[in-house]
Amino acid sequence: MNAIVKTLTDHPHLELFMYIKHQTHPKDKTHFRLEHQQKMISKRAAAIIEFLKGQGIDPSRVKWDFHPDKFSLPGTDVNEHIFEIRNNKKQ
């Protein structure tokens, strides 16, 4: 996260986009409840955004989503984040 903070601080025209995955244990009764998954993902996103805000990053520069296709790559964990730095500088 420190490298992301430094990059966003050094380049104020860049934005951060996060793909967040959260999966409970299969034996957990909430495992298949979509609303529970969405709630947990929202909480995780809010915590990351709050951390970045505390580091001086404007929260409006941070976007997030849950996109299952991003996690179909081999080696992705059940609770993982993928960060993309995007250049949204106007030409």
Side-chain angles (χ1 to χ4, degrees):
M1 287 300 297
N2 290 337
I4 291 171
V5 169
K6 179 165 178 25
T7 300
L8 293 173
T9 301
D10 292 348
H11 305 281
H13 61 280
L14 296 178
E15 291 185 347
L16 177 66
F17 195 90
M18 303 182 291
Y19 295 99
I20 300 173
K21 179 179 182 182
H22 174 80
Q23 183 176 335
T24 56
H25 191 277
K27 292 183 180 179
D28 185 343
K29 292 181 181 183
T30 62
H31 177 68
F32 295 107
R33 289 187 20 223
L34 181 60
E35 64 273 5
H36 175 75
Q37 298 293 339
Q38 291 172 334
K39 181 179 176 183
M40 296 305 295
I41 290 166
S42 295
K43 283 184 172 184
R44 184 162 292 178
I48 294 169
I49 291 169
E50 194 61 33
F51 168 79
L52 292 170
K53 182 179 174 183
Q55 300 298 309
I57 304 301
D58 183 348
S60 69
R61 295 174 60 199
V62 182
K63 311 288 188 264
W64 67 273
D65 193 7
F66 172 74
H67 196 296
D69 294 343
K70 289 285 184 182
F71 295 97
S72 61
L73 303 171
T76 56
D77 197 344
V78 294
N79 295 310
E80 192 164 358
H81 311 53
I82 297 174
F83 297 100
E84 292 178 0
I85 300 288
R86 296 181 177 174
N87 184 353
N88 291 320
K89 188 175 183 178
K90 304 285 185 222
Q91 298 293 331

